[in-house]
Amino acid sequence: MVSLPEISDLSPDAIKAKIRSPFWKQIILNKTVDSTNTVASGIAEKAEESTIVLADSQTKGRGRLGRLWISPPGVSIYMSIILKPLIDICDVTFITIMAAVACANALRKSTNLNVTIKWPNDLVCSGKKIGGILTELKIEHNRLIYAVTGIGINVNADINTFPADVRDIATTVKNETGKVFRRTDIIADILNETEKWYIALNKGDKDTIISEWKRLDSTLGKEVLVITASDTLSGIAELIDEKGMLMLRLPSGQLKRITTGDLKILR
Ligand code: BT5
């Protein structure tokens, strides 16, 4: 794999210069890949924890359930981080929770936008999706071998270039601010924040992560529709539990644990 020195405003050296600690070791920059998660998964077993795979564009960027992630060149962030946390496999959902908290804080810092989180993996601004997180895992004999946490953030993309169905639900930093941002600066902020929250995760400090999630969350307490593979449920999004799952208060009063699904805010 060839690691490129820089592509327009993406520069591993400039990112490293802005990172506060030596935790982040290798940043591999590619011009175009199918998916940074695929590239990172291919090297994850042998790679050191905290290796980062970046790309200027993706041809098959993916979301959950194999959905397409729109990944035009030159404008946005497509990044996968290889992590090997010392956590119980029951807690793996917390990797995405931790990354969402880190990304929302980093985006708030670098763009001044009021970025919030929507369970389980959405970064939201003005009610629209500005970014998403996809964590993929390798588990063997009940042990987590590695996690690849993929982060996609729409930075300087023009929302009018997105396909109509995504345009309606998505936004970009440029669309929200009217300004162009250096991707390098945002990535460095994401890595600085991720390190901080990853340390909390590795220490088992889930309470601190959950309380930060609550501060950044825009859905808790709201009436929502939860669409899972087998069900569509409505209720009040009540809390994130100690495993990172959403607890939904059903109209019957029963509290139901939701492990995965898509969430739409009704009111
Ligand atoms: C996600 O999935 O939100 C996870 C996205 C993760 C993307 C990163 S980029 C780097 C790394 N490499 C990858 O291949 N993936 C990760 P999900 O919750 O399933 O949302 C997918 C849905 O979001 C799609 O079905 C569209 O409706 C919408 N969508 C697609 N592209 C988008 C974009 N650029 N911005 C906002 N929404 C988008």
Side-chain angles (χ1 to χ4, degrees), residues 16-136:
K16 279 189 194 144
K18 295 196 88 210
I19 292 175
R20 281 194 297 262
S21 92
F23 175 75
W24 304 103
K25 292 171 198 87
Q26 201 189 0
I27 302 175
I28 301 165
L29 174 62
N30 304 271
K31 189 153 180 50
T32 304
V33 293
D34 49 1
S35 149
T36 56
N37 266 32
T38 303
V39 174
S41 296
I43 59 168
E45 229 157 318
K46 291 199 180 130
E48 261 190 285
E49 147 149 289
S50 83
T51 299
I52 294 153
V53 176
L54 268 178
D56 186 55
S57 71
Q58 302 184 116
T59 53
K60 284 188 189 150
R62 61 175 176 267
R64 294 171 302 151
L65 307 170
R67 296 164 181 154
L68 187 69
W69 186 258
I70 309 294
S71 311
V75 283
S76 288
I77 294 172
Y78 318 111
M79 165 161 84
S80 298
I81 303 175
I82 297 169
L83 295 171
K84 303 185 177 179
L86 306 166
I87 56 170
D88 195 288
I89 55 163
C90 309
D91 287 331
V92 289
T93 304
F94 258 90
I95 302 171
T96 299
I97 301 273
M98 173 281 300
V101 162
C103 288
N105 271 319
L107 277 174
R108 283 173 172 224
K109 221 173 258 174
S110 49
T111 67
N112 241 344
L113 286 171
N114 183 30
V115 175
T116 58
I117 312 173
K118 182 160 80 71
W119 187 88
N121 67 325
D122 283 359
L123 298 161
V124 175
C125 188
S126 310
K128 296 194 167 182
K129 187 156 169 160
I130 202 162
I133 292 160
L134 175 71
T135 300
E136 295 176 315

Side-chain angles (χ1 to χ4, degrees), residues 246-266:
L246 176 75
M247 299 301 284
L248 184 71
R249 180 73 66 184
L250 300 175
S252 65
Q254 186 201 341
L255 205 52
K256 187 171 172 70
R257 167 183 270 196
I258 310 290
T259 54
T260 179
D262 285 303
L263 196 142
K264 283 203 171 78
I265 299 177
L266 296 176

Side-chain angles (χ1 to χ4, degrees), residues 118 218-226 233-238 246-249 262-267:
K118 182 160 80 71
S218 52
T219 48
L220 293 181
K222 301 227 167 96
E223 196 180 330
V224 296
L225 200 65
V226 178
L233 300 164
S234 63
I236 307 287
E238 202 153 298
L246 176 75
M247 299 301 284
L248 184 71
R249 180 73 66 184
D262 285 303
L263 196 142
K264 283 203 171 78
I265 299 177
L266 296 176
R267 257 178 286 166

